[in-house]
Amino acid sequence: MNTRTLSLPISTLDYKQPTTVQVGSPVSDAIDIMQAEGFGCILVVDSEQRLAGILTDRDLLLHVCGKRLDPTTINVEEIMTSKPESLRASDPIAFALNLMHLGHFRHVPLCIWDDQQQEFPIGLISTRDILDHMAIFIENQQGGA
């Protein structure tokens, strides 16, 4: 993958639409949605649909399974990562890779910001999305050789 490809906007990747759950929802609801959709995380939004946090499979393992808690009795905001780092779809792919590397993230929310700098999720980029893009790029390069 060359510098030109890494400078392409994230929007050129096949990123996912955000799957969300409301603040105040039981963790069991988030688990049901994540299992049904086959996702490793879910975004948590407030009543205005602003990004409040992200809940990952890792959070579930550490904070629910690891402590043997009942996911029907705790709410998502009790174990989510509040105010997660996010990017714009117009940001370069290199920004996503750098943020994921430095923060040890596998998922980064894609947001738009309003005039008050409040974040509204429009998508979700994962390391898998970037790896899939890189694999296609490499395959195309080898096919053209």
Side-chain angles (χ1 to χ4, degrees):
M1 185 167 265
N2 60 25
T3 306
R4 188 177 76 75
T5 304
L6 289 174
S7 66
L8 291 172
I10 295 168
S11 62
T12 61
L13 300 176
D14 189 22
Y15 65 83
K16 296 165 191 65
Q17 295 300 310
T19 300
T20 63
V21 67
Q22 291 276 325
V23 169
S25 297
V27 170
S28 57
D29 286 359
I31 291 170
D32 291 344
I33 295 168
M34 290 169 66
Q35 286 181 327
E37 300 292 331
F39 293 152
C41 74
I42 192 166
L43 300 181
V44 181
V45 295
D46 65 15
S47 60
E48 304 290 322
Q49 298 303 305
R50 293 176 294 220
L51 182 65
I54 187 169
L55 180 67
T56 67
D57 50 7
R58 187 175 292 149
D59 294 326
L60 295 171
L61 286 171
L62 291 173
H63 303 293
V64 179
C65 297
K67 295 181 180 176
R68 308 265 194 268
L69 298 178
D70 179 357
T72 63
T73 63
I74 50 177
N75 291 339
V76 292
E77 64 271 15
E78 295 177 56
I79 64 167
M80 71 180 188
T81 300
S82 297
K83 300 183 184 202
E85 302 254 7
S86 64
L87 294 170
R88 291 177 169 86
S90 59
D91 287 332
I93 294 170
F95 281 24
L97 282 172
N98 187 55
L99 182 60
M100 289 172 168
H101 172 71
L102 293 176
H104 304 284
F105 308 138
R106 291 180 292 154
H107 305 91
V108 175
L110 300 176
C111 294
I112 56 172
W113 283 260
D114 68 7
D115 296 340
Q116 289 80 38
Q117 296 302 307
Q118 297 178 78
E119 299 174 79
F120 296 86
I122 60 163
L124 184 70
I125 188 76
S126 69
T127 52
R128 178 176 294 279
D129 298 329
I130 296 172
L131 288 172
D132 288 347
H133 183 75
M134 291 172 61
I136 291 168
F137 176 82
I138 291 167
E139 185 177 294
N140 290 338
Q141 292 299 310
Q142 292 176 347

